[in-house]
């Protein structure tokens, strides 16, 4: 149910922007701009944009790829760790992905004025959940994304691969932490 709600919310935000002919305005007002946080000091505005940017997509291909991945992997992750943890990791991975991308964009690549939008970091966190639970394919996916970070930085691709990596690492680390907490609850003497 949570995965379905996330898919529907993303579709509704996208449809609102497209049907209302306000998509560009939504992107410019609610997308995350790394330099706004890291260099210009717009803390409150940047915090809002970190959250809202997770639900904005640039076009039909962008939203289709993201929501396909969410629908494909979300159900497994949601059933495996439960709804509250799933929602928390989804949102934290989205934030982690955006912040990781932002640091790289602002301090390494010098393109921190570019707007970041999309659910890729959050969805990558869902793949991190799967990897933490033992699905080795998640690590293969991470290796490919790391490779794309380097290719994308050289080729000037407009895909924020660093957000994918940051989201995956966030989801993986939080899930491993939760697994360890649960293990200690069940067997406090180990």
């Amino acid at each position: 149910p949570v995965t379905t709600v996330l898919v529907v919310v993303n579709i509704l935000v996208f449809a609102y922007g497209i049907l209302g002919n306000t998509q560009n305005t939504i992107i410019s007002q609610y997308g995350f701009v790394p330099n706004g946080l890291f260099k210009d000091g717009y803390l409150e505005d940047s915090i809002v944009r970190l959250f809202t940017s997770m639900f904005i997509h640039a076009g039909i291909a962008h939203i289709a790829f993201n929501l396909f991945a969410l629908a494909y992997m979300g159900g497994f992750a949601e059933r495996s760790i439960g709804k509250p943890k799933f929602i928390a990791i989804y949102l934290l991975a989205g934030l982690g992905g955006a912040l990781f991308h932002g640091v790289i964009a602002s301090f390494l690549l010098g393109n921190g004025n570019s707007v970041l939008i999309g659910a890729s970091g959050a969805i990558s966190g869902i793949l991190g959940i799967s990897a933490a639970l033992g699905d080795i394919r998640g690590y293969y996916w991470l290796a490919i994304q790391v490779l794309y970070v380097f290719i994308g930085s050289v080729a000037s691709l407009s895909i924020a691969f660093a957000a994918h990596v940051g989201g995956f690492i966030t989801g993986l680390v939080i899930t491993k932490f939760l697994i360890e907490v649960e293990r200690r609850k069940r067997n406090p003497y180990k």
Side-chain angles (χ1 to χ4, degrees):
V2 174
T3 300
T4 303
V5 168
L6 289 169
V7 168
V8 169
V9 168
N10 278 282
I11 290 171
L12 289 175
V13 170
F14 183 71
Y16 177 80
I18 295 299
L19 296 175
N21 202 25
T22 58
Q23 188 68 0
N24 290 335
T25 303
I26 290 170
I27 290 170
S28 67
Q29 290 182 351
Y30 297 102
F32 174 60
V33 180
N35 279 354
L37 176 62
F38 296 117
K39 296 193 174 183
D40 300 334
Y42 299 127
L43 182 62
E44 289 179 28
D45 182 55
S46 294
I47 290 171
V48 170
R49 287 171 176 255
L50 280 166
F51 281 99
T52 56
S53 65
M54 285 187 254
F55 299 95
I56 303 170
H57 292 84
I60 196 76
H62 187 205
I63 193 169
F65 282 116
N66 275 348
L67 296 187
F68 174 75
L70 176 58
Y72 181 68
M73 295 298 292
F76 167 76
E78 183 180 340
R79 286 187 304 276
S80 297
I81 64 170
K83 292 170 185 54
K85 292 175 187 171
F86 178 81
I87 293 168
I89 292 173
Y90 182 89
L91 293 173
L92 290 171
L95 295 174
L99 290 171
F100 187 71
H101 164 79
V103 167
I104 290 174
S106 289
F107 299 111
L108 297 178
L109 301 178
N111 62 355
N113 284 319
S114 297
V115 179
L116 174 70
I117 57 171
S120 299
I123 294 165
S124 296
I126 301 309
L127 292 167
I129 292 170
S130 299
L133 295 171
D135 187 346
I136 193 72
R137 293 174 296 178
Y139 293 106
Y140 296 147
W141 179 88
L142 175 63
I144 292 168
Q145 294 305 309
V146 169
L147 176 66
Y148 284 149
V149 167
F150 294 109
I151 293 170
S153 65
V154 174
S156 298
L157 296 175
S158 63
I159 299 172
F161 292 109
H164 297 193
V165 173
F168 180 88
I169 292 169
T170 304
L172 177 73
V173 169
I174 292 172
T175 304
K176 288 216 176 252
F177 173 76
L178 292 173
I179 290 168
E180 181 62 22
V181 167
E182 187 63 30
R183 186 188 66 75
R184 288 182 184 219
K185 275 190 208 175
R186 292 181 184 194
N187 194 354
Y189 302 108
K190 282 192 175 184

Short mmCIF file of all heavy atoms in Angstrom, two decimals, residues 57-86:
data_model
loop_
_atom_site.label_atom_id
_atom_site.label_comp_id
_atom_site.label_asym_id
_atom_site.label_seq_id
_atom_site.Cartn_x
_atom_site.Cartn_y
_atom_site.Cartn_z
N HIS A 57 9.13 15.41 -11.44
CA HIS A 57 9.83 14.77 -12.55
C HIS A 57 9.77 15.65 -13.79
O HIS A 57 8.80 16.38 -14.00
CB HIS A 57 9.24 13.38 -12.83
CG HIS A 57 9.51 12.43 -11.72
ND1 HIS A 57 8.72 12.36 -10.59
CD2 HIS A 57 10.50 11.52 -11.55
CE1 HIS A 57 9.21 11.44 -9.78
NE2 HIS A 57 10.29 10.92 -10.33
N ALA A 58 10.82 15.57 -14.60
CA ALA A 58 10.96 16.46 -15.75
C ALA A 58 10.09 16.09 -16.94
O ALA A 58 9.62 16.95 -17.66
CB ALA A 58 12.42 16.52 -16.19
N GLY A 59 9.90 14.80 -17.16
CA GLY A 59 9.15 14.37 -18.33
C GLY A 59 8.63 12.96 -18.15
O GLY A 59 8.86 12.31 -17.13
N ILE A 60 7.95 12.49 -19.17
CA ILE A 60 7.31 11.18 -19.10
C ILE A 60 8.33 10.05 -18.95
O ILE A 60 8.11 9.11 -18.19
CB ILE A 60 6.35 10.96 -20.30
CG1 ILE A 60 5.40 9.80 -20.02
CG2 ILE A 60 7.10 10.73 -21.58
CD1 ILE A 60 4.30 10.15 -19.08
N ALA A 61 9.44 10.13 -19.64
CA ALA A 61 10.47 9.07 -19.52
C ALA A 61 11.06 9.07 -18.11
O ALA A 61 11.27 8.00 -17.51
CB ALA A 61 11.57 9.26 -20.56
N HIS A 62 11.30 10.25 -17.56
CA HIS A 62 11.87 10.38 -16.22
C HIS A 62 10.95 9.72 -15.18
O HIS A 62 11.39 8.89 -14.39
CB HIS A 62 12.07 11.86 -15.91
CG HIS A 62 12.80 12.15 -14.63
ND1 HIS A 62 12.65 13.33 -13.95
CD2 HIS A 62 13.68 11.42 -13.91
CE1 HIS A 62 13.41 13.32 -12.87
NE2 HIS A 62 14.04 12.16 -12.82
N ILE A 63 9.68 10.08 -15.20
CA ILE A 63 8.76 9.53 -14.22
C ILE A 63 8.50 8.04 -14.48
O ILE A 63 8.38 7.25 -13.55
CB ILE A 63 7.44 10.34 -14.13
CG1 ILE A 63 6.67 9.92 -12.87
CG2 ILE A 63 6.60 10.18 -15.39
CD1 ILE A 63 5.51 10.84 -12.54
N ALA A 64 8.44 7.65 -15.73
CA ALA A 64 8.17 6.24 -16.06
C ALA A 64 9.28 5.33 -15.54
O ALA A 64 9.00 4.30 -14.91
CB ALA A 64 8.00 6.07 -17.57
N PHE A 65 10.53 5.70 -15.79
CA PHE A 65 11.64 4.87 -15.30
C PHE A 65 11.66 4.81 -13.78
O PHE A 65 11.83 3.74 -13.20
CB PHE A 65 12.99 5.39 -15.82
CG PHE A 65 13.27 5.01 -17.24
CD1 PHE A 65 13.39 5.99 -18.21
CD2 PHE A 65 13.42 3.68 -17.61
CE1 PHE A 65 13.64 5.64 -19.53
CE2 PHE A 65 13.67 3.33 -18.92
CZ PHE A 65 13.79 4.31 -19.89
N ASN A 66 11.48 5.95 -13.13
CA ASN A 66 11.51 5.96 -11.67
C ASN A 66 10.37 5.15 -11.07
O ASN A 66 10.58 4.36 -10.15
CB ASN A 66 11.46 7.40 -11.14
CG ASN A 66 12.82 8.03 -11.08
OD1 ASN A 66 13.85 7.37 -11.22
ND2 ASN A 66 12.86 9.33 -10.87
N LEU A 67 9.17 5.34 -11.58
CA LEU A 67 8.03 4.65 -10.99
C LEU A 67 8.02 3.17 -11.33
O LEU A 67 7.54 2.35 -10.53
CB LEU A 67 6.72 5.33 -11.39
CG LEU A 67 6.59 6.76 -10.88
CD1 LEU A 67 5.21 7.30 -11.17
CD2 LEU A 67 6.92 6.88 -9.40
N PHE A 68 8.58 2.79 -12.47
CA PHE A 68 8.72 1.36 -12.76
C PHE A 68 9.64 0.72 -11.73
O PHE A 68 9.33 -0.34 -11.18
CB PHE A 68 9.27 1.14 -14.17
CG PHE A 68 9.58 -0.30 -14.45
CD1 PHE A 68 8.55 -1.19 -14.71
CD2 PHE A 68 10.88 -0.76 -14.43
CE1 PHE A 68 8.83 -2.54 -14.95
CE2 PHE A 68 11.17 -2.10 -14.66
CZ PHE A 68 10.14 -2.99 -14.93
N ALA A 69 10.77 1.37 -11.45
CA ALA A 69 11.71 0.82 -10.46
C ALA A 69 11.07 0.77 -9.07
O ALA A 69 11.23 -0.21 -8.34
CB ALA A 69 12.98 1.67 -10.42
N LEU A 70 10.33 1.81 -8.71
CA LEU A 70 9.65 1.83 -7.41
C LEU A 70 8.61 0.72 -7.32
O LEU A 70 8.56 -0.02 -6.33
CB LEU A 70 9.01 3.19 -7.17
CG LEU A 70 8.19 3.33 -5.88
CD1 LEU A 70 9.04 3.04 -4.65
CD2 LEU A 70 7.58 4.74 -5.81
N ALA A 71 7.80 0.57 -8.34
CA ALA A 71 6.77 -0.47 -8.33
C ALA A 71 7.40 -1.86 -8.32
O ALA A 71 6.90 -2.77 -7.64
CB ALA A 71 5.85 -0.31 -9.54
N TYR A 72 8.50 -2.03 -9.02
CA TYR A 72 9.16 -3.33 -9.13
C TYR A 72 9.81 -3.76 -7.82
O TYR A 72 9.66 -4.89 -7.39
CB TYR A 72 10.20 -3.28 -10.25
CG TYR A 72 10.93 -4.58 -10.47
CD1 TYR A 72 10.27 -5.70 -10.98
CD2 TYR A 72 12.27 -4.69 -10.15
CE1 TYR A 72 10.94 -6.89 -11.17
CE2 TYR A 72 12.96 -5.88 -10.35
CZ TYR A 72 12.28 -6.98 -10.86
OH TYR A 72 12.95 -8.17 -11.05
N MET A 73 10.52 -2.84 -7.16
CA MET A 73 11.28 -3.19 -5.96
C MET A 73 10.59 -2.79 -4.66
O MET A 73 10.89 -3.34 -3.60
CB MET A 73 12.66 -2.53 -6.00
CG MET A 73 13.55 -3.02 -7.11
SD MET A 73 13.93 -4.77 -6.99
CE MET A 73 14.94 -4.79 -5.52
N GLY A 74 9.69 -1.83 -4.73
CA GLY A 74 9.09 -1.29 -3.51
C GLY A 74 8.30 -2.29 -2.70
O GLY A 74 8.40 -2.31 -1.47
N GLY A 75 7.51 -3.10 -3.36
CA GLY A 75 6.69 -4.08 -2.63
C GLY A 75 7.51 -5.03 -1.80
O GLY A 75 7.20 -5.29 -0.63
N PHE A 76 8.60 -5.55 -2.37
CA PHE A 76 9.48 -6.46 -1.64
C PHE A 76 10.08 -5.77 -0.42
O PHE A 76 10.05 -6.29 0.70
CB PHE A 76 10.60 -6.99 -2.54
CG PHE A 76 11.70 -7.68 -1.79
CD1 PHE A 76 11.52 -8.96 -1.28
CD2 PHE A 76 12.91 -7.04 -1.56
CE1 PHE A 76 12.51 -9.60 -0.55
CE2 PHE A 76 13.92 -7.67 -0.85
CZ PHE A 76 13.72 -8.95 -0.34
N ALA A 77 10.61 -4.58 -0.63
CA ALA A 77 11.25 -3.85 0.47
C ALA A 77 10.23 -3.50 1.55
O ALA A 77 10.51 -3.63 2.74
CB ALA A 77 11.94 -2.60 -0.06
N GLU A 78 9.06 -3.07 1.13
CA GLU A 78 8.02 -2.68 2.09
C GLU A 78 7.59 -3.87 2.94
O GLU A 78 7.47 -3.77 4.16
CB GLU A 78 6.82 -2.11 1.31
CG GLU A 78 5.70 -1.62 2.19
CD GLU A 78 4.54 -1.06 1.39
OE1 GLU A 78 4.72 -0.69 0.21
OE2 GLU A 78 3.44 -1.00 1.95
N ARG A 79 7.37 -5.02 2.32
CA ARG A 79 6.98 -6.22 3.07
C ARG A 79 8.10 -6.70 3.98
O ARG A 79 7.85 -7.23 5.06
CB ARG A 79 6.58 -7.35 2.11
CG ARG A 79 5.24 -7.17 1.45
CD ARG A 79 4.82 -8.38 0.64
NE ARG A 79 5.78 -8.78 -0.37
CZ ARG A 79 5.88 -8.26 -1.59
NH1 ARG A 79 5.06 -7.30 -1.95
NH2 ARG A 79 6.79 -8.69 -2.44
N SER A 80 9.33 -6.52 3.55
CA SER A 80 10.47 -7.03 4.30
C SER A 80 10.76 -6.26 5.58
O SER A 80 11.15 -6.85 6.58
CB SER A 80 11.73 -7.01 3.42
OG SER A 80 11.56 -7.86 2.32
N ILE A 81 10.58 -4.95 5.56
CA ILE A 81 10.94 -4.17 6.74
C ILE A 81 9.75 -3.50 7.41
O ILE A 81 9.88 -2.92 8.49
CB ILE A 81 12.01 -3.11 6.42
CG1 ILE A 81 11.49 -2.08 5.44
CG2 ILE A 81 13.28 -3.76 5.91
CD1 ILE A 81 12.40 -0.89 5.28
N GLY A 82 8.59 -3.53 6.80
CA GLY A 82 7.40 -2.91 7.37
C GLY A 82 7.19 -1.49 6.86
O GLY A 82 8.12 -0.82 6.43
N LYS A 83 5.94 -1.05 6.93
CA LYS A 83 5.55 0.23 6.35
C LYS A 83 6.25 1.45 6.98
O LYS A 83 6.78 2.28 6.27
CB LYS A 83 4.04 0.40 6.43
CG LYS A 83 3.29 -0.57 5.52
CD LYS A 83 1.80 -0.52 5.83
CE LYS A 83 1.02 -1.53 5.04
NZ LYS A 83 1.48 -2.91 5.15
N PRO A 84 6.26 1.59 8.32
CA PRO A 84 6.89 2.79 8.89
C PRO A 84 8.38 2.90 8.55
O PRO A 84 8.85 3.99 8.19
CB PRO A 84 6.70 2.62 10.40
CG PRO A 84 5.55 1.68 10.55
CD PRO A 84 5.62 0.77 9.36
N LYS A 85 9.10 1.81 8.63
CA LYS A 85 10.53 1.84 8.30
C LYS A 85 10.73 2.10 6.81
O LYS A 85 11.66 2.81 6.42
CB LYS A 85 11.20 0.53 8.71
CG LYS A 85 11.27 0.34 10.22
CD LYS A 85 11.82 -1.02 10.57
CE LYS A 85 11.73 -1.25 12.07
NZ LYS A 85 12.05 -2.63 12.43
N PHE A 86 9.87 1.53 5.99
CA PHE A 86 9.95 1.74 4.55
C PHE A 86 9.80 3.23 4.21
O PHE A 86 10.60 3.79 3.47
CB PHE A 86 8.88 0.91 3.85
CG PHE A 86 8.84 1.10 2.36
CD1 PHE A 86 9.73 0.42 1.53
CD2 PHE A 86 7.91 1.93 1.77
CE1 PHE A 86 9.69 0.59 0.15
CE2 PHE A 86 7.86 2.10 0.41
CZ PHE A 86 8.76 1.43 -0.41
#
